[in-house]
Amino acid sequence: MTLAYRDPSIPDSPPARWDPRWKLAALLVFAVAVAFLRSLPPLGVALGIAVCLLLIARVPIVIILARAGLLLLAVAPFVVVLPIFVENGWPIAVAIALRCLTIGLVSLFLLRTETVADTLAAARSLGVQGTLVMIAQLAYRYALTLFSEARRLRVAMLARGFRVRTTGHAYRSLGHAAGALLVSGGERAERVAAAMRARGFDGTPRALVPFRSRTVDALAFAGIVFVSATLLAWEFAP
Amino acid sequence: MIQVQSLSHRFADGRIALDGVSFAVAAGERVALVGPNGAGKTTLFLRLCGVLGGPRGQATIAGLDPADPGQRRKMPETVGVVFQNPDDQLFSPSIFDDVAFGPLNLGHSPDEVRASVADALNAVGLPDHAERVPHRLSGGEKRRAAIATVLSMKPSVLLLDEPSMFLDPRGRRELIELVRNWTGTILLATHDLEMVLDLCPRVLVLDGGRLAADGPAESLLADATLMETHGLEVPGRLMRR
């Protein structure tokens, strides 16, 4: 696991220097709190906090808006349909949209301030089972390889005159391509397992924990927990 | 260093991959293993490093029998296998993590792991690549990183499976230099017969799971009949002589 990995594409900022364990724990607490909110005012404040975190992390506004747009697009079917079928459904629809948007932007904050490798290492040191972390690592690593293979396959198909049409031939071809990717993925999994065993892997994931906690990390965590508790109190206070 | 005696391997579906292969490799020797596709080269490597099981007593490396469960655990410290496709070997989110994977499995301390990683990356000429993401490396860098993943375990034997595959001429030259400068025992499976001439004084020809020939590289590779019989070609360098 990670000792020194630092992705140069992650801009330096206070949140980027935050110990990933404290950061992950804090964001989980915040996301769970947001998931329990039902009223629009606390949800609006939560969204504002998520945007502030992104701005502090120096995430460009263009990226924030683009990701927010994608999140809204994903949640749009529910937001549009709900008011039609549920009486007084607009506030519920907006609340769902705000919750999704806030949790999505908090995830973006995590992705833009920490590498996947460090986030997974932090999850591991927070007690997430090592095997799950390793599966997530491998999935992340080989998803990228799978995309590359899919792109090559697509080019090979296009080069032989394939065009996506609503015909049986097109669907069959896409099915064959997906099957080929699946089979090659299975074979790759066997080869990766062999490579791991050849380097002494016995099924027990091992890791070095490089993280060092500072007082400011704990204070930032406490701040997020305090904000989360305040939002919940606002929501549920009589 | 490597003793193979009547080594055979049959897959679960009944196919015979290796059939009575015998040879020995001395410490510090560089030996090439050549043969057509499906000759059994990769299977031989997997048997030698203990990834594939089999009957005991058919092979030993540095005195360890890879088929013996007790001794197999010590194999990774002795034998480093570099697989055909570096993407199969670089499975971690960063090069550092990949190179550290083996030493961590061997139970080394964090300081030892850091030192091993630094030494291995220096040895392959990638000292500044620890933080890089494997899938973004070039083919040559991936290959060298894959070699670093086994060098960090300080093995005395390297098994290199098609190391020049996917490499451009520069990457291939760098690989040849790297292998040439490594002082341990090397068994090199390849179709790149020009590289064999550059690196290995001795060649084993494997075909259909059987050892067809074992001898000096220049004389075996220049034997047109032998090469043709086993799906190989005389390297251009020898043809021009």
Side-chain angles (χ1 to χ4, degrees):
Chain A
M1 299 268 276
T2 295
L3 286 174
Y5 184 68
R6 176 61 61 194
D7 191 333
S9 68
I10 292 175
D12 186 35
S13 65
R17 292 190 292 271
W18 192 0
D19 182 329
R21 293 168 301 177
W22 288 106
K23 181 170 17 182
L24 186 62
L27 296 181
L28 280 173
V29 169
F30 184 69
V32 169
V34 169
F36 278 102
L37 298 179
R38 295 286 178 271
S39 315
L40 295 186
L43 276 168
V45 171
L47 178 61
I49 290 168
V51 172
C52 285
L53 285 174
L54 286 165
L55 293 175
I56 293 169
R58 297 182 189 159
V59 179
I61 290 176
V62 181
I63 290 179
I64 299 174
L65 292 175
R67 297 298 182 275
L70 283 175
L71 287 164
L72 285 175
L73 202 65
V75 81
F78 303 100
V79 175
V80 172
V81 167
L82 211 60
I84 300 170
F85 293 104
V86 179
E87 194 183 340
N88 201 17
W90 273 111
I92 301 172
V94 174
I96 289 174
L98 286 175
R99 267 201 298 276
C100 291
L101 202 53
T102 307
I103 293 173
L105 290 182
V106 164
S107 308
L108 176 64
F109 170 79
L110 186 62
L111 288 172
R112 296 291 297 193
T113 58
E114 206 57 69
T115 62
V116 173
D118 278 356
T119 302
L120 290 172
R124 171 115 193 244
S125 52
L126 287 176
V128 176
Q129 204 190 7
T131 309
L132 286 178
V133 172
M134 186 163 250
I135 289 170
Q137 259 184 355
L138 290 170
Y140 169 69
R141 165 72 179 90
Y142 286 105
L144 300 166
T145 304
L146 195 69
F147 285 139
S148 304
E149 285 178 358
R151 268 201 303 272
R152 282 200 297 272
L153 210 58
R154 180 176 163 272
V155 169
M157 291 170 81
L158 292 176
R160 282 183 283 160
F162 175 78
R163 295 291 176 269
V164 182
R165 297 189 185 99
T166 52
T167 62
H169 170 70
Y171 290 132
R172 259 196 311 280
S173 303
L174 288 172
H176 291 156
L181 281 177
L182 192 70
V183 170
S184 70
E187 288 171 350
R188 182 185 297 282
E190 283 175 16
R191 294 196 301 270
V192 171
M196 292 170 85
R197 284 201 298 273
R199 279 192 273 157
F201 182 66
D202 57 6
T204 308
R206 293 173 178 84
L208 291 174
V209 180
F211 309 122
R212 282 197 188 88
S213 286
R214 302 161 301 163
T215 311
V216 68
D217 297 324
L219 286 175
F221 170 78
I224 294 284
V225 170
F226 175 74
V227 168
S228 305
T230 306
L231 289 171
L232 286 173
W234 187 4
E235 174 71 41
F236 293 108
Chain B
M1 178 60 81
I2 304 175
Q3 292 283 342
V4 176
Q5 192 60 48
S6 303
L7 191 149
S8 298
H9 190 84
R10 185 189 289 265
F11 287 121
D13 61 4
R15 275 182 304 128
I16 294 172
L18 295 168
D19 187 9
V21 175
S22 299
F23 64 90
V25 177
E29 201 178 359
R30 286 200 297 256
V31 179
L33 185 64
V34 301
N37 288 336
K41 302 187 289 289
T42 301
T43 307
L44 176 62
F45 278 10
L46 294 178
R47 279 291 301 271
L48 289 179
C49 69
V51 168
L52 283 180
R56 293 180 201 187
Q58 294 187 338
T60 56
I61 296 190
L64 298 171
D65 185 343
D68 183 309
Q71 296 177 40
R72 185 162 53 218
R73 279 188 217 107
K74 296 176 190 161
M75 293 303 291
E77 296 174 64
T78 310
V79 186
V81 192
V82 179
F83 289 84
Q84 265 183 34
N85 187 343
D87 270 325
D88 298 340
Q89 193 140 4
L90 302 172
F91 43 77
S92 301
S94 75
I95 293 300
F96 186 98
D97 296 335
D98 260 320
V99 181
F101 181 82
L104 280 172
N105 286 328
L106 297 181
H108 293 176
S109 70
D111 286 341
E112 284 172 332
V113 172
R114 287 185 186 93
S116 302
V117 172
D119 288 348
L121 288 175
N122 274 329
V124 299
L126 298 175
D128 304 323
H129 285 58
E131 299 172 0
R132 297 280 298 275
V133 182
H135 78 273
R136 293 202 178 129
L137 299 184
S138 70
E141 288 172 334
K142 276 186 189 176
R143 178 64 70 190
R144 284 190 281 158
I147 293 173
T149 65
V150 295
L151 292 186
S152 63
M153 302 170 78
K154 300 184 171 54
S156 47
V157 178
L158 268 189
L159 307 180
L160 303 171
D161 196 356
E162 301 287 2
S164 60
M165 194 185 261
F166 308 127
L167 293 185
D168 60 14
R170 184 194 293 165
R172 185 177 165 281
R173 273 199 309 276
E174 288 169 350
L175 175 80
I176 288 172
E177 281 310 304
L178 173 61
V179 173
R180 190 178 276 147
N181 292 332
W182 196 70
T183 51
T185 309
I186 290 178
L187 194 53
L188 167 75
T190 185
H191 293 304
D192 185 345
L193 302 184
E194 298 283 350
M195 188 169 82
V196 171
L197 288 171
D198 282 331
L199 287 173
C200 301
R202 182 179 156 207
V203 166
L204 306 173
V205 180
L206 195 67
D207 192 5
R210 290 168 182 252
L211 193 63
D214 176 355
E218 293 230 351
S219 60
L220 281 192
L221 298 184
D223 184 339
T225 313
L226 178 77
M227 292 290 99
E228 200 172 314
T229 308
H230 298 291
L232 301 165
E233 281 183 337
V234 176
R237 198 188 311 174
L238 295 180
M239 286 174 84
R240 284 192 292 273
R241 284 184 186 173

